[in-house]
């Protein structure tokens, strides 16, 4: 592809993203959904206006955007867990992941879906979409305890989800007859444990440097350098780059005296990457995948929705959260994207005979949850209202 084509496409997508965002201000739809729909329209499934590039550099753009999002979420997660809402966030996140997986597993099994397939889809169902959810929150300007709980749960959900997925994958491998369940456990241990170690290994020196580098452009160079280094090493070591970036951000927040500097600099530049990420993600969606998956995909979508609603409500009850959290947090957690697709790819590699059906269901559900999920998240935020209080252990925070 010629450099001129690349530059024209890049500039056009960024300007189109600004136009879509401007249109979104006059509609009830969140900009995430509009950007995804725009990408879908100009992609291969629509008018096919993009040159043959989204498949080649979309993974790079996606990783860069998610790395910055993960780094910012790490700071927010530690701050929220250390606050008064920490118990609510931790309780809701655990119940959300476990209950969602159980509802999907039992529901699919009762519908005569093979147990191995049910186990794999149950593991995939727990994952959320940090990019879409945080962008809806940012766009809406929502503040208050409900928003804080939502951010914290989204940040930690995928970590719990990866652990649970590795356990269910190991179980599926044993039931599949090859006796390689330890491979699944090792895969999960390496993915989560390796990401934790990498995040700490980079977060500690970054925390040391942050207070010694001038704010502004030097701090921006430092922050981007560490974030991209983290992503590259995570890919090379084959561990979760999203979790590694979150741990690095958490370490900087806890250890750096001037911890706010790198986070503020990243916040200033992450939106152009998000524009490209959402448009190219939309261009990568295939409606035929949703249609070809059949009734199992429809059942998966329904069961995952019920699981999220039940999990958040149950976790909120045990965590002592306010009624508004128990009612609206589940709907706000519906978006699902990249992490789920990554899990589906791992499952398809371990079970080649199930590859076609697993990927069709995962991709098909992503089409639904990426387009509809942000709309529901925005609606939930609107229903709760800005600054609504959340009761924790009988107190109002």
């Amino acid at each position: 592809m010629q450099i001129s084509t690349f530059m024209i496409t890049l500039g056009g997508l960024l300007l189109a993203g600004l136009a879509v965002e401007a249109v979104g201000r006059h509609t009830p739809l969140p900009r995430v959904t509009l950007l995804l729909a725009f990408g879908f329209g100009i992609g291969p499934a629509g008018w096919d206006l993009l040159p043959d590039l989204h498949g080649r550099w979309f993974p790079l753009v996606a990783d860069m955007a998610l790395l910055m999002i993960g780094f910012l979420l790490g700071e927010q997660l530690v701050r929220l867990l250390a606050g008064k809402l920490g118990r609510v966030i931790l309780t809701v996140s655990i119940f959300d992941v476990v209950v969602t997986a159980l509802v999907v597993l039992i529901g699919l099994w009762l519908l005569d879906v093979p147990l191995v397939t049910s186990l794999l889809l149950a593991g995939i169902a727990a994952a959320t979409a940090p990019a879409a959810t945080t962008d809806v929150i940012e766009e809406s300007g929502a503040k208050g305890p409900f928003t804080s709980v939502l951010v914290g749960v989204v940040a930690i959900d995928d970590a719990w989800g990866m652990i649970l997925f590795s356990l269910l994958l190991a179980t599926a491998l044993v039931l599949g007859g090859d006796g390689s369940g330890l491979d699944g456990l090792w895969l999960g241990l390496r993915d989560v444990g390796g990401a934790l170690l990498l995040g700490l290994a980079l977060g500690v020196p970054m925390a040391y440097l942050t207070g010694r580098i001038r704010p502004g452009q030097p701090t921006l160079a430092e922050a981007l350098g560490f974030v991209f280094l983290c992503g590259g090493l995570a890919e090379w070591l084959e561990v979760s780059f999203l979790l590694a970036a979150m741990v690095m951000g958490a370490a900087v927040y806890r250890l750096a005296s001037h911890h706010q500097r790198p986070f503020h600099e990243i916040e200033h530049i992450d939106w152009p990457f998000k524009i490209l990420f959402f448009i190219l993600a939309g261009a990568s969606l295939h409606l035929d995948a949703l249609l070809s998956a059949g009734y199992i995909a429809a059942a998966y979508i329904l069961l995952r929705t019920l699981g999220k609603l039940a999990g958040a409500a149950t976790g909120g009850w045990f965590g002592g959260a306010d009624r508004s959290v128990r009612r609206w947090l589940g709907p706000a957690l519906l978006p699902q994207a990249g992490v789920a697709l990554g899990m589906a790819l791992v499952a398809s590699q371990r079970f080649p005979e199930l590859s076609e059906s697993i990927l069709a269901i995962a991709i098909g559900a992503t089409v639904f949850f990426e387009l509809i999920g942000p709309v529901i998240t925005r609606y939930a935020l609107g229903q709760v209202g800005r600054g609504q209080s959340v009761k924790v252990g009988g107190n109002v925070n």
Side-chain angles (χ1 to χ4, degrees), residues 102-124:
L102 282 175
V103 169
V104 173
L105 172 61
I106 296 172
L108 291 178
W109 182 69
L110 291 175
L111 291 173
D112 291 329
V113 176
L115 184 56
V116 169
T117 302
S118 300
L119 284 166
L120 297 175
L121 290 174
I124 296 170

Side-chain angles (χ1 to χ4, degrees), residues 21-34:
E21 182 181 14
V23 171
R25 297 193 191 105
H26 304 285
T27 71
L29 297 175
R31 63 188 177 190
V32 175
T33 299
L34 292 173

Side-chain angles (χ1 to χ4, degrees), residues 97 100-102 104-105 108 116-129 157-158 160-166 168-169 300 304 308 334-348 351 354-355 357-366 369:
V97 168
T100 299
L102 282 175
V104 173
L105 172 61
L108 291 178
V116 169
T117 302
S118 300
L119 284 166
L120 297 175
L121 290 174
I124 296 170
T128 53
D157 251 11
D158 286 340
W160 296 135
M162 283 184 284
I163 295 172
L164 181 61
F165 173 75
S166 67
L168 294 178
L169 176 63
Y300 171 83
R304 181 179 181 269
K308 288 292 179 185
L334 287 180
Q336 186 178 44
V339 175
L341 292 180
M343 292 176 176
L345 287 172
V346 171
S348 66
F351 293 90
L354 300 176
S355 174
S357 60
I358 292 292
L359 287 176
I361 294 168
I363 295 172
T366 297
F369 284 120

Side-chain angles (χ1 to χ4, degrees), residues 63-239:
D63 287 359
M64 293 170 71
L66 289 173
L67 279 167
M68 286 185 271
I69 291 167
F71 179 68
L72 296 173
L73 282 176
E75 179 259 346
Q76 296 179 56
L77 178 62
V78 174
R79 175 169 49 82
L80 292 171
L81 287 178
K84 295 180 180 179
L85 296 172
R87 178 186 169 213
V88 175
I89 293 171
L90 204 57
T91 306
V92 171
S93 63
I94 293 174
F95 274 91
D96 172 58
V97 168
V98 174
V99 172
T100 299
L102 282 175
V103 169
V104 173
L105 172 61
I106 296 172
L108 291 178
W109 182 69
L110 291 175
L111 291 173
D112 291 329
V113 176
L115 184 56
V116 169
T117 302
S118 300
L119 284 166
L120 297 175
L121 290 174
I124 296 170
T128 53
T133 306
T134 55
D135 190 76
V136 172
I137 294 171
E138 179 184 330
E139 180 192 18
S140 68
K143 302 290 183 181
F146 177 84
T147 304
S148 298
V149 173
L150 177 58
V151 170
V153 172
V154 166
I156 201 173
D157 251 11
D158 286 340
W160 296 135
M162 283 184 284
I163 295 172
L164 181 61
F165 173 75
S166 67
L167 294 173
L168 294 178
L169 176 63
T171 305
L173 286 169
V174 172
L175 294 176
D178 61 7
S180 58
L182 289 177
D183 290 344
L185 288 175
W186 167 244
L187 182 69
L189 179 63
R190 186 189 66 183
D191 197 26
V192 176
L196 291 173
L197 292 175
L198 177 61
L200 287 173
L202 292 176
V204 172
M206 183 179 180
Y208 176 81
L209 288 173
T210 292
R212 292 162 176 79
I213 295 180
R214 289 187 295 108
Q217 292 180 341
T219 299
L220 175 59
E222 172 222 5
L224 285 179
F226 271 100
V227 166
F228 292 153
L229 180 63
C230 178
L233 289 174
E235 292 284 355
W236 181 55
L237 296 171
E238 297 182 345
V239 301

